[in-house]
Amino acid sequence: LPTVRFLALGDWGTGAPEQRQVAAALAGRAKADSTQFVMSVGDNFYGYLESADDPQWANYFENVYTDTLKREWYT
């Protein structure tokens, strides 16, 4: 049987330094394990998110998970 390797995360935070530390650890694990994709399980943003242009999108996601964004994400 083929092996499927992926990361799963949720409740990812508000851009705090600890979130960036976790993101760096995930990126290291993704590289070491050659993960194929990332699964987001929810509670990703706190409060209302207007759209993908909302600053929260960049501040709490794009600017934090830069290395893991090189893979497909499924939510």
Side-chain angles (χ1 to χ4, degrees):
L1 295 174
T3 300
V4 177
R5 296 177 190 267
F6 65 95
L7 297 172
L9 76 146
D11 200 25
W12 64 44
T14 59
E18 295 84 2
Q19 180 185 4
R20 294 178 186 282
Q21 291 171 340
V22 170
L26 287 171
R29 178 60 29 200
K31 183 177 180 182
D33 289 347
S34 298
T35 58
Q36 297 156 300
F37 61 91
V38 179
M39 182 187 316
S40 173
V41 297
D43 288 337
N44 304 325
F45 296 96
Y46 307 108
Y48 186 71
L49 189 68
E50 292 280 331
S51 69
D53 296 324
D54 189 304
Q56 290 185 87
W57 184 259
N59 292 337
Y60 306 152
F61 181 67
E62 291 178 328
N63 297 338
V64 177
Y65 299 99
T66 54
D67 289 323
T68 53
L69 284 174
K70 296 175 184 162
R71 289 161 183 75
E72 290 287 330
W73 278 66
Y74 297 96
T75 57

